[in-house]
Coordinates of all heavy atoms in Angstrom, one line a residue:
M1 N -4.4 -12.5 -24.7 CA -3.3 -11.8 -24.0 C -2.8 -12.8 -22.9 O -3.6 -13.4 -22.2 CB -3.7 -10.5 -23.4 CG -2.6 -9.6 -22.9 SD -3.1 -8.5 -21.6 CE -4.3 -7.4 -22.5
S2 N -1.5 -12.8 -22.7 CA -1.0 -13.7 -21.6 C -1.2 -13.0 -20.3 O -1.1 -11.8 -20.2 CB 0.6 -13.8 -21.9 OG 1.2 -14.3 -20.7
I3 N -1.5 -13.9 -19.3 CA -1.7 -13.3 -18.0 C -0.3 -12.8 -17.4 O -0.4 -12.0 -16.5 CB -2.3 -14.4 -16.9 CG1 -1.4 -15.5 -16.8 CG2 -3.7 -14.8 -17.4 CD1 -1.7 -16.4 -15.6
F4 N 0.7 -13.2 -18.0 CA 2.1 -12.8 -17.5 C 2.3 -11.4 -17.8 O 3.3 -10.8 -17.2 CB 3.2 -13.7 -18.0 CG 2.9 -15.2 -17.5 CD1 2.5 -16.2 -18.3 CD2 3.2 -15.4 -16.1 CE1 2.3 -17.4 -17.8 CE2 2.9 -16.7 -15.6 CZ 2.6 -17.7 -16.5
S5 N 1.6 -10.8 -18.7 CA 1.9 -9.3 -19.0 C 1.0 -8.4 -18.2 O 1.1 -7.2 -18.3 CB 1.6 -9.1 -20.5 OG 0.3 -9.4 -20.8
K6 N 0.1 -9.0 -17.4 CA -0.8 -8.2 -16.7 C -0.2 -7.5 -15.5 O 0.5 -8.1 -14.8 CB -2.0 -9.2 -16.1 CG -3.4 -8.6 -16.3 CD -4.3 -9.6 -15.8 CE -5.8 -9.0 -15.7 NZ -6.6 -10.0 -15.1
N7 N -0.7 -6.3 -15.2 CA -0.3 -5.6 -14.0 C -1.0 -6.2 -12.8 O -2.0 -6.7 -12.9 CB -0.7 -4.1 -14.1 CG 0.2 -3.3 -14.9 OD1 0.9 -3.8 -15.8 ND2 0.3 -2.0 -14.7
Q8 N -0.3 -6.0 -11.7 CA -0.9 -6.5 -10.4 C -1.3 -5.2 -9.6 O -0.4 -4.4 -9.3 CB 0.1 -7.3 -9.6 CG 0.9 -8.3 -10.4 CD 2.0 -9.0 -9.5 OE1 1.7 -9.8 -8.6 NE2 3.2 -8.5 -9.7
T9 N -2.6 -5.1 -9.4 CA -3.1 -4.0 -8.6 C -3.8 -4.5 -7.4 O -4.8 -5.3 -7.6 CB -3.9 -3.0 -9.5 OG1 -3.2 -2.5 -10.6 CG2 -4.4 -1.8 -8.7
K10 N -3.6 -4.0 -6.3 CA -4.3 -4.4 -5.0 C -4.7 -3.2 -4.3 O -4.1 -2.1 -4.3 CB -3.5 -5.4 -4.2 CG -3.2 -6.7 -4.9 CD -2.7 -7.8 -4.1 CE -2.6 -9.0 -4.9 NZ -2.0 -10.1 -4.1
K11 N -5.9 -3.3 -3.6 CA -6.5 -2.2 -2.8 C -6.3 -2.5 -1.3 O -6.4 -3.6 -0.9 CB -7.9 -2.1 -3.1 CG -8.2 -1.5 -4.5 CD -9.7 -1.3 -4.8 CE -9.8 -0.8 -6.2 NZ -11.2 -0.6 -6.6
V12 N -6.0 -1.3 -0.7 CA -5.8 -1.4 0.8 C -6.8 -0.3 1.3 O -6.7 0.9 0.9 CB -4.4 -1.1 1.2 CG1 -4.3 -1.0 2.8 CG2 -3.5 -2.3 0.8
V13 N -7.7 -0.6 2.2 CA -8.5 0.4 2.8 C -7.9 0.9 4.1 O -7.4 0.1 4.9 CB -9.9 -0.3 3.2 CG1 -10.8 0.8 3.9 CG2 -10.6 -0.7 1.9
V14 N -7.9 2.2 4.3 CA -7.2 2.8 5.4 C -8.3 3.4 6.3 O -9.1 4.2 6.0 CB -6.4 4.0 4.9 CG1 -5.6 4.7 6.1 CG2 -5.3 3.5 3.9
N15 N -8.3 2.9 7.6 CA -9.3 3.3 8.6 C -8.7 3.2 10.0 O -8.4 2.2 10.5 CB -10.5 2.4 8.4 CG -11.7 2.9 9.3 OD1 -11.5 3.4 10.4 ND2 -12.9 2.7 8.8
A16 N -8.5 4.4 10.6 CA -7.8 4.4 11.9 C -8.6 3.8 13.0 O -8.1 3.3 14.0 CB -7.5 5.9 12.2
E17 N -10.0 3.7 12.8 CA -10.8 3.2 13.8 C -10.8 1.6 13.7 O -11.2 1.0 14.7 CB -12.2 3.7 13.7 CG -12.8 4.2 15.0 CD -14.1 4.9 14.8 OE1 -14.9 4.4 14.0 OE2 -14.4 5.8 15.6
N18 N -10.5 1.1 12.6 CA -10.6 -0.3 12.3 C -9.2 -1.0 12.2 O -9.0 -1.8 11.4 CB -11.4 -0.5 11.0 CG -12.0 -1.9 10.9 OD1 -12.1 -2.6 11.9 ND2 -12.3 -2.3 9.7
H19 N -8.4 -0.6 13.2 CA -7.1 -1.2 13.4 C -6.1 -0.9 12.2 O -5.2 -1.7 12.0 CB -7.1 -2.7 13.7 CG -8.1 -3.0 14.8 ND1 -7.8 -2.6 16.1 CD2 -9.2 -3.7 14.8 CE1 -8.8 -3.0 16.9 NE2 -9.7 -3.6 16.1
G20 N -6.4 0.0 11.4 CA -5.4 0.4 10.4 C -5.7 0.0 9.0 O -6.7 0.4 8.4
Y21 N -4.8 -0.8 8.4 CA -4.8 -1.2 7.0 C -5.5 -2.5 6.8 O -5.2 -3.5 7.4 CB -3.4 -1.2 6.4 CG -2.6 0.1 6.6 CD1 -1.7 0.2 7.6 CD2 -2.9 1.2 5.8 CE1 -0.9 1.3 7.7 CE2 -2.2 2.4 6.0 CZ -1.2 2.4 7.0 OH -0.5 3.6 7.1
K22 N -6.4 -2.6 5.8 CA -7.1 -3.8 5.5 C -6.9 -4.1 4.0 O -7.5 -3.3 3.2 CB -8.6 -3.7 5.8 CG -8.9 -3.7 7.3 CD -9.0 -5.1 7.9 CE -8.7 -5.1 9.4 NZ -9.5 -4.9 10.4
P23 N -6.2 -5.1 3.6 CA -5.3 -5.9 4.4 C -4.1 -5.2 4.9 O -3.7 -4.2 4.3 CB -5.0 -7.1 3.5 CG -5.0 -6.5 2.1 CD -6.0 -5.4 2.1
D24 N -3.3 -5.8 5.8 CA -2.1 -5.1 6.2 C -0.9 -5.9 5.7 O 0.2 -5.5 5.9 CB -2.0 -4.9 7.7 CG -2.1 -6.3 8.5 OD1 -2.2 -7.3 7.9 OD2 -2.0 -6.1 9.8
V25 N -1.1 -7.1 5.0 CA 0.0 -7.7 4.3 C -0.5 -7.9 2.9 O -1.5 -8.5 2.6 CB 0.3 -9.1 4.9 CG1 1.4 -9.8 4.2 CG2 0.7 -8.9 6.4
I26 N 0.2 -7.4 1.9 CA -0.1 -7.5 0.5 C 1.1 -8.2 -0.2 O 2.2 -7.9 0.0 CB -0.2 -6.1 -0.1 CG1 -1.2 -5.3 0.7 CG2 -0.6 -6.1 -1.6 CD1 -0.7 -4.3 1.8
T27 N 0.7 -9.2 -1.0 CA 1.7 -10.0 -1.7 C 1.6 -9.8 -3.2 O 0.5 -9.8 -3.7 CB 1.5 -11.5 -1.3 OG1 1.5 -11.6 0.1 CG2 2.6 -12.4 -1.9
F28 N 2.8 -9.7 -3.8 CA 2.9 -9.6 -5.3 C 3.9 -10.7 -5.8 O 4.8 -11.1 -5.0 CB 3.4 -8.2 -5.7 CG 2.4 -7.2 -5.5 CD1 2.7 -6.2 -4.5 CD2 1.2 -7.0 -6.2 CE1 1.8 -5.2 -4.2 CE2 0.3 -6.0 -5.9 CZ 0.6 -5.0 -4.9
K29 N 3.7 -11.0 -7.1 CA 4.7 -11.8 -7.7 C 5.8 -11.0 -8.3 O 5.5 -9.9 -8.9 CB 4.1 -12.7 -8.8 CG 3.1 -13.8 -8.2 CD 2.6 -14.7 -9.4 CE 1.9 -15.8 -8.8 NZ 0.5 -15.9 -9.4
A30 N 7.0 -11.5 -8.2 CA 8.2 -10.7 -8.7 C 8.1 -10.8 -10.2 O 7.6 -11.7 -10.8 CB 9.5 -11.3 -8.2
G31 N 8.5 -9.7 -10.9 CA 8.6 -9.7 -12.3 C 7.5 -9.1 -13.1 O 7.6 -8.9 -14.3
K32 N 6.4 -8.7 -12.4 CA 5.3 -8.1 -13.0 C 5.1 -6.7 -12.4 O 5.2 -6.7 -11.1 CB 4.0 -8.9 -12.9 CG 4.0 -10.2 -13.6 CD 2.5 -10.7 -13.6 CE 2.5 -12.1 -13.0 NZ 1.0 -12.6 -12.9
P33 N 4.7 -5.7 -13.2 CA 4.4 -4.4 -12.5 C 3.4 -4.5 -11.4 O 2.3 -5.2 -11.6 CB 3.9 -3.6 -13.7 CG 4.4 -4.3 -14.9 CD 4.4 -5.7 -14.6
A34 N 3.6 -3.8 -10.3 CA 2.6 -3.9 -9.2 C 2.4 -2.5 -8.6 O 3.3 -1.7 -8.5 CB 3.3 -4.8 -8.1
Q35 N 1.1 -2.3 -8.2 CA 0.7 -1.1 -7.6 C -0.2 -1.4 -6.5 O -1.0 -2.3 -6.5 CB -0.2 -0.3 -8.6 CG 0.6 0.2 -9.9 CD -0.3 1.1 -10.8 OE1 -1.4 0.6 -11.0 NE2 0.2 2.1 -11.2
I36 N -0.2 -0.5 -5.5 CA -1.2 -0.6 -4.4 C -2.0 0.7 -4.4 O -1.5 1.8 -4.6 CB -0.6 -0.6 -3.0 CG1 0.3 -1.9 -2.9 CG2 -1.7 -0.7 -2.0 CD1 0.9 -2.1 -1.6
K37 N -3.4 0.6 -4.4 CA -4.3 1.7 -4.3 C -4.7 1.8 -2.8 O -5.3 0.9 -2.4 CB -5.5 1.6 -5.2 CG -5.2 1.8 -6.6 CD -6.5 1.8 -7.5 CE -6.1 1.8 -9.0 NZ -5.4 3.0 -9.4
F38 N -4.4 2.9 -2.2 CA -4.8 3.1 -0.8 C -6.1 3.9 -0.8 O -6.2 5.0 -1.4 CB -3.7 3.9 0.0 CG -2.5 3.1 0.3 CD1 -1.4 3.1 -0.5 CD2 -2.5 2.3 1.5 CE1 -0.3 2.3 -0.2 CE2 -1.4 1.5 1.8 CZ -0.4 1.5 1.0
I39 N -7.2 3.3 -0.2 CA -8.5 3.9 -0.3 C -8.8 4.5 1.1 O -8.8 3.8 2.1 CB -9.6 2.8 -0.5 CG1 -9.1 1.8 -1.6 CG2 -10.9 3.4 -0.8 CD1 -9.0 2.4 -3.0
P40 N -9.0 5.8 1.1 CA -9.3 6.5 2.4 C -10.6 6.2 2.9 O -11.6 5.8 2.0 CB -9.1 7.9 2.1 CG -9.2 8.1 0.6 CD -8.9 6.8 -0.1
S41 N -10.9 6.3 4.2 CA -12.2 6.2 4.8 C -12.6 7.4 5.5 O -11.9 8.4 5.5 CB -12.2 5.0 5.7 OG -11.3 5.3 6.8
D42 N -13.7 7.3 6.3 CA -14.1 8.5 7.0 C -13.3 8.8 8.2 O -13.4 9.8 8.8 CB -15.6 8.3 7.5 CG -16.5 8.5 6.3 OD1 -16.1 9.1 5.3 OD2 -17.6 7.9 6.4
N43 N -12.5 7.8 8.7 CA -11.8 7.9 9.9 C -10.2 7.8 9.6 O -9.7 6.7 9.7 CB -12.2 6.9 10.9 CG -11.9 7.3 12.3 OD1 -10.7 7.6 12.6 ND2 -12.9 7.4 13.2
M44 N -9.6 8.8 9.4 CA -8.2 8.8 8.9 C -7.2 9.2 10.0 O -6.2 8.5 10.2 CB -8.0 9.7 7.7 CG -8.8 9.2 6.5 SD -8.2 7.6 6.0 CE -6.7 8.1 5.1
G45 N -7.5 10.3 10.7 CA -6.4 10.7 11.7 C -5.1 10.9 11.0 O -5.0 11.3 9.9
C46 N -4.1 10.4 11.7 CA -2.7 10.5 11.2 C -2.4 9.5 10.0 O -1.4 9.6 9.4 CB -1.7 10.3 12.3 SG -1.7 8.7 13.0
M47 N -3.5 8.7 9.8 CA -3.3 7.7 8.7 C -3.4 8.4 7.3 O -3.3 7.7 6.3 CB -4.3 6.6 8.8 CG -4.0 5.7 10.0 SD -5.0 4.2 10.0 CE -3.9 3.2 9.0
N48 N -3.7 9.7 7.3 CA -3.8 10.3 6.0 C -2.4 10.5 5.4 O -2.3 11.0 4.2 CB -4.5 11.7 6.1 CG -3.7 12.7 6.9 OD1 -2.8 12.3 7.5 ND2 -4.1 14.0 6.8
E49 N -1.4 10.1 6.1 CA 0.0 10.1 5.4 C 0.4 8.6 5.4 O 0.3 7.9 6.3 CB 0.9 10.9 6.3 CG 2.3 11.1 5.7 CD 3.2 11.9 6.7 OE1 2.7 12.4 7.7 OE2 4.4 12.1 6.3
I50 N 1.0 8.3 4.2 CA 1.5 6.9 4.0 C 3.0 7.0 3.7 O 3.4 7.7 2.8 CB 0.7 6.2 2.9 CG1 -0.7 6.1 3.3 CG2 1.4 4.9 2.6 CD1 -1.4 5.0 2.7
V51 N 3.8 6.3 4.5 CA 5.2 6.3 4.4 C 5.8 4.9 4.1 O 5.5 4.0 4.9 CB 5.9 6.9 5.7 CG1 7.4 7.0 5.5 CG2 5.3 8.3 6.0
F52 N 6.5 4.8 3.0 CA 7.3 3.6 2.7 C 8.8 4.1 2.8 O 9.3 4.7 1.8 CB 7.1 3.2 1.2 CG 5.9 2.4 1.0 CD1 4.6 3.0 0.9 CD2 5.9 1.0 0.9 CE1 3.5 2.3 0.6 CE2 4.8 0.2 0.6 CZ 3.5 0.9 0.5
K53 N 9.4 3.9 4.0 CA 10.8 4.5 4.1 C 11.7 3.9 3.1 O 12.5 4.6 2.6 CB 11.2 4.1 5.6 CG 11.1 5.2 6.6 CD 11.8 4.8 7.9 CE 11.1 5.7 9.0 NZ 11.1 4.9 10.3
D54 N 11.7 2.6 2.9 CA 12.6 1.9 2.0 C 12.5 2.4 0.5 O 13.4 2.3 -0.3 CB 12.5 0.4 2.0 CG 12.7 -0.2 3.4 OD1 13.4 0.5 4.2 OD2 12.1 -1.3 3.7
L55 N 11.3 2.9 0.2 CA 11.0 3.3 -1.2 C 11.1 4.8 -1.4 O 11.0 5.3 -2.5 CB 9.7 2.8 -1.7 CG 9.5 1.3 -1.7 CD1 8.1 0.9 -2.2 CD2 10.5 0.6 -2.6
G56 N 11.3 5.6 -0.3 CA 11.3 7.0 -0.3 C 10.0 7.5 -0.7 O 9.9 8.6 -1.3
V57 N 8.9 6.9 -0.3 CA 7.5 7.3 -0.6 C 6.9 8.0 0.7 O 7.0 7.4 1.7 CB 6.7 6.1 -1.1 CG1 5.2 6.6 -1.2 CG2 7.2 5.6 -2.4
D58 N 6.4 9.1 0.5 CA 5.7 9.8 1.6 C 4.5 10.6 0.9 O 4.7 11.7 0.4 CB 6.6 10.8 2.3 CG 6.0 11.3 3.6 OD1 4.8 11.3 3.7 OD2 6.8 11.8 4.4
K59 N 3.3 10.0 1.0 CA 2.1 10.5 0.3 C 1.0 10.9 1.3 O 0.9 10.2 2.3 CB 1.7 9.6 -0.8 CG 2.7 9.4 -1.9 CD 2.0 8.7 -3.1 CE 3.0 8.6 -4.2 NZ 2.3 8.2 -5.5
T60 N 0.2 11.8 0.9 CA -0.9 12.3 1.6 C -2.2 11.9 0.9 O -2.4 12.1 -0.3 CB -0.9 13.7 1.9 OG1 0.4 14.1 2.5 CG2 -2.0 14.2 2.8
L61 N -3.1 11.3 1.7 CA -4.5 11.0 1.2 C -5.4 12.1 1.4 O -6.2 12.1 2.5 CB -5.0 9.7 1.9 CG -4.4 8.4 1.5 CD1 -4.4 7.5 2.8 CD2 -5.2 7.7 0.5
D62 N -5.3 13.1 0.7 CA -6.1 14.3 0.9 C -7.5 14.2 0.3 O -7.7 13.5 -0.8 CB -5.4 15.5 0.2 CG -4.5 16.2 1.1 OD1 -4.7 16.1 2.4 OD2 -3.6 16.9 0.7
D63 N -8.5 14.8 0.9 CA -9.8 15.0 0.3 C -10.4 13.6 -0.2 O -11.1 13.6 -1.1 CB -9.8 15.9 -0.9 CG -9.3 17.3 -0.5 OD1 -9.7 17.7 0.7 OD2 -8.7 18.0 -1.3
K64 N -10.2 12.6 0.6 CA -10.8 11.3 0.3 C -10.4 10.7 -1.0 O -11.2 10.0 -1.6 CB -12.3 11.4 0.5 CG -12.7 11.7 1.9 CD -14.3 11.6 2.1 CE -14.8 12.3 3.2 NZ -14.4 11.9 4.5
K65 N -9.3 11.2 -1.6 CA -8.9 10.7 -2.9 C -8.0 9.5 -2.6 O -7.1 9.5 -1.8 CB -8.2 11.7 -3.7 CG -9.1 12.4 -4.7 CD -8.2 13.3 -5.6 CE -7.9 14.6 -4.9 NZ -7.1 15.6 -5.5
E66 N -8.1 8.4 -3.4 CA -7.2 7.3 -3.3 C -5.9 7.7 -3.9 O -5.8 8.5 -4.8 CB -7.8 6.0 -3.9 CG -7.9 6.2 -5.4 CD -8.6 4.9 -6.0 OE1 -9.5 4.4 -5.4 OE2 -8.1 4.4 -7.0
I67 N -4.8 7.0 -3.4 CA -3.5 7.2 -4.0 C -2.9 5.9 -4.4 O -3.2 4.9 -3.9 CB -2.5 8.0 -3.0 CG1 -2.3 7.1 -1.8 CG2 -2.9 9.4 -2.7 CD1 -1.1 7.5 -1.0
T68 N -2.0 6.0 -5.4 CA -1.4 4.8 -5.9 C 0.1 4.8 -5.7 O 0.7 5.9 -5.9 CB -1.7 4.7 -7.5 OG1 -3.1 4.6 -7.6 CG2 -1.0 3.4 -8.0
V69 N 0.6 3.7 -5.1 CA 2.0 3.6 -4.9 C 2.5 2.4 -5.8 O 2.0 1.3 -5.8 CB 2.3 3.3 -3.4 CG1 3.8 3.0 -3.2 CG2 1.8 4.4 -2.5
D70 N 3.5 2.7 -6.6 CA 4.2 1.7 -7.4 C 5.2 0.9 -6.5 O 6.0 1.4 -5.8 CB 5.0 2.3 -8.5 CG 4.0 3.0 -9.5 OD1 3.0 2.3 -9.9 OD2 4.3 4.1 -10.0
I71 N 5.1 -0.4 -6.7 CA 5.9 -1.3 -5.9 C 7.0 -1.9 -6.9 O 6.6 -2.6 -7.8 CB 5.1 -2.4 -5.2 CG1 4.1 -1.8 -4.3 CG2 6.1 -3.3 -4.4 CD1 4.6 -1.0 -3.2
P72 N 8.2 -1.8 -6.6 CA 9.3 -2.4 -7.5 C 9.2 -4.0 -7.3 O 9.1 -4.5 -6.2 CB 10.6 -2.0 -7.0 CG 10.4 -1.4 -5.6 CD 8.9 -1.1 -5.5
T73 N 9.2 -4.7 -8.4 CA 9.1 -6.2 -8.4 C 10.2 -6.8 -9.1 O 10.1 -8.0 -9.5 CB 7.7 -6.7 -9.0 OG1 7.6 -6.2 -10.3 CG2 6.5 -6.1 -8.2
D74 N 11.3 -6.1 -9.3 CA 12.4 -6.7 -10.1 C 13.1 -7.8 -9.3 O 13.8 -8.7 -9.9 CB 13.4 -5.6 -10.5 CG 13.8 -4.7 -9.3 OD1 12.9 -4.3 -8.5 OD2 15.0 -4.5 -9.1
K75 N 13.0 -7.8 -8.0 CA 13.5 -8.9 -7.2 C 12.6 -9.1 -5.9 O 11.9 -8.1 -5.5 CB 14.9 -8.6 -6.8 CG 15.1 -7.3 -6.0 CD 16.6 -7.2 -5.6 CE 16.8 -6.1 -4.6 NZ 16.7 -4.7 -5.0
P76 N 12.7 -10.3 -5.4 CA 11.9 -10.6 -4.2 C 12.3 -9.7 -3.0 O 13.5 -9.3 -3.0 CB 12.2 -12.0 -3.8 CG 12.6 -12.6 -5.1 CD 13.3 -11.6 -5.8
G77 N 11.4 -9.3 -2.1 CA 11.7 -8.4 -1.1 C 10.5 -8.1 -0.2 O 9.4 -8.4 -0.6
T78 N 10.8 -7.4 0.9 CA 9.7 -6.9 1.8 C 9.8 -5.5 2.0 O 10.9 -4.9 2.2 CB 9.8 -7.6 3.1 OG1 9.7 -9.0 2.9 CG2 8.6 -7.2 4.0
Y79 N 8.7 -4.7 1.8 CA 8.7 -3.2 2.0 C 7.6 -2.9 3.1 O 6.4 -3.2 2.9 CB 8.3 -2.6 0.7 CG 9.2 -2.9 -0.4 CD1 8.8 -3.8 -1.4 CD2 10.5 -2.4 -0.5 CE1 9.7 -4.2 -2.5 CE2 11.4 -2.7 -1.5 CZ 10.9 -3.6 -2.5 OH 11.8 -3.9 -3.5
N80 N 8.1 -2.4 4.1 CA 7.2 -2.0 5.2 C 6.6 -0.6 4.9 O 7.3 0.3 4.4 CB 7.9 -2.0 6.6 CG 8.4 -3.4 6.9 OD1 7.6 -4.3 7.0 ND2 9.7 -3.5 7.2
F81 N 5.4 -0.4 5.4 CA 4.8 0.9 5.3 C 4.2 1.3 6.6 O 3.8 0.4 7.4 CB 3.9 1.1 4.1 CG 2.7 0.2 4.1 CD1 1.5 0.6 4.6 CD2 2.8 -1.0 3.5 CE1 0.3 -0.2 4.5 CE2 1.6 -1.8 3.4 CZ 0.5 -1.5 3.9
A82 N 3.9 2.5 6.8 CA 3.3 3.0 8.1 C 2.6 4.4 7.9 O 2.8 5.1 6.9 CB 4.4 3.2 9.1
C83 N 1.9 4.7 8.9 CA 1.2 6.0 8.9 C 2.3 7.1 9.2 O 3.5 6.8 9.6 CB 0.1 6.1 9.9 SG 0.7 6.0 11.7
G84 N 1.9 8.3 9.2 CA 2.9 9.4 9.4 C 3.5 9.4 10.8 O 4.6 10.0 11.0
M85 N 2.8 8.9 11.8 CA 3.4 8.8 13.2 C 4.0 7.5 13.5 O 4.4 7.2 14.6 CB 2.4 9.2 14.2 CG 1.9 10.6 14.1 SD 0.5 10.9 15.2 CE 1.3 10.7 16.8
D86 N 4.1 6.6 12.5 CA 4.7 5.2 12.7 C 4.0 4.4 13.7 O 4.6 3.7 14.5 CB 6.2 5.4 13.0 CG 7.0 4.1 12.7 OD1 6.6 3.4 11.7 OD2 8.0 3.9 13.3
M87 N 2.6 4.5 13.8 CA 1.8 3.8 14.7 C 1.2 2.6 14.1 O 1.1 1.6 14.7 CB 0.7 4.7 15.3 CG 1.2 5.9 16.1 SD -0.1 7.2 16.1 CE -1.6 6.3 16.3
F88 N 0.6 2.8 12.9 CA 0.0 1.7 12.1 C 0.9 1.2 11.1 O 1.6 2.0 10.5 CB -1.3 2.2 11.5 CG -2.4 2.6 12.4 CD1 -2.6 4.0 12.7 CD2 -3.2 1.6 13.0 CE1 -3.6 4.3 13.6 CE2 -4.2 2.0 13.9 CZ -4.4 3.3 14.2
H89 N 1.0 -0.1 10.9 CA 1.9 -0.7 10.0 C 1.3 -1.7 9.1 O 0.4 -2.3 9.4 CB 3.1 -1.4 10.9 CG 3.8 -0.5 11.8 ND1 3.5 -0.4 13.1 CD2 4.7 0.4 11.5 CE1 4.2 0.4 13.7 NE2 5.0 1.0 12.8
G90 N 2.0 -1.8 7.9 CA 1.6 -2.9 7.0 C 2.9 -3.3 6.3 O 3.9 -2.6 6.4
K91 N 2.8 -4.4 5.5 CA 4.0 -4.7 4.7 C 3.6 -5.3 3.4 O 2.5 -5.9 3.2 CB 4.9 -5.6 5.5 CG 4.5 -7.1 5.6 CD 5.5 -7.9 6.3 CE 5.0 -9.2 6.6 NZ 6.0 -10.0 7.3
V92 N 4.5 -5.1 2.4 CA 4.3 -5.6 1.1 C 5.4 -6.7 0.8 O 6.6 -6.4 1.1 CB 4.5 -4.5 0.0 CG1 4.3 -5.0 -1.4 CG2 3.5 -3.3 0.3
V93 N 4.9 -7.9 0.4 CA 5.9 -8.9 0.1 C 5.9 -9.2 -1.3 O 4.9 -9.5 -1.9 CB 5.5 -10.2 0.9 CG1 6.6 -11.3 0.7 CG2 5.5 -9.9 2.4
V94 N 7.1 -9.2 -1.9 CA 7.3 -9.5 -3.3 C 8.0 -10.9 -3.4 O 9.1 -11.0 -2.8 CB 8.1 -8.5 -4.1 CG1 8.3 -9.0 -5.6 CG2 7.4 -7.1 -4.1
K95 N 7.4 -11.9 -4.0 CA 8.0 -13.2 -4.0 C 7.8 -13.9 -5.3 O 7.1 -13.5 -6.2 CB 7.6 -14.0 -2.8 CG 6.1 -14.2 -2.8 CD 5.7 -15.0 -1.5 CE 4.3 -15.3 -1.2 NZ 4.0 -15.9 0.0
Ligands
CU1 CU1 -0.5 7.2 13.1

């Protein structure tokens, strides 16, 4: 199987005590399907909500379950994300 047909999946750990998102910058290659899995931790606070304003995504990390966000990779771009109160930030770069 060609590596070019492979999905790109990356994990981000969410922890309000540990300065937010680890990592807080996630890079994907344009042209391949891409997803981020947000992994909740024991210390969530308002970070239990994940907002991608540009993508119209607003999801809740309930009950310590991870959530998956699909990232469009049809063209290069940057998508910012934040917690529900817009205090913690991260960004996704498609290039
Ligand atoms: Cu917050």
Side-chain angles (χ1 to χ4, degrees):
M1 192 205 294
S2 162
I3 60 164
F4 295 108
S5 63
K6 222 177 169 187
N7 279 24
Q8 311 175 80
T9 301
K10 295 195 174 173
K11 289 184 178 178
V12 174
V13 176
V14 182
N15 189 324
E17 232 176 31
N18 200 17
H19 308 296
Y21 303 105
K22 291 272 153 87
D24 60 358
V25 179
I26 303 100
T27 305
F28 293 111
K29 287 187 175 126
K32 295 193 234 175
Q35 296 181 315
I36 300 178
K37 286 188 189 297
F38 286 93
I39 315 295
S41 64
D42 287 338
N43 201 306
M44 296 295 284
C46 62
M47 295 190 84
N48 69 347
E49 187 180 356
I50 298 204
V51 181
F52 282 78
K53 261 187 203 150
D54 300 335
L55 301 179
V57 170
D58 187 338
K59 292 193 175 190
T60 305
L61 285 147
D62 270 336
D63 297 328
K64 300 188 196 298
K65 261 185 285 177
E66 65 182 46
I67 60 160
T68 301
V69 175
D70 292 315
I71 305 298
T73 59
D74 52 315
K75 58 180 193 286
T78 301
Y79 303 103
N80 296 305
F81 60 92
C83 68
M85 292 175 66
D86 204 25
M87 295 155 44
F88 293 100
H89 302 99
K91 72 176 175 183
V92 181
V93 180
V94 177
K95 56 185 178 185

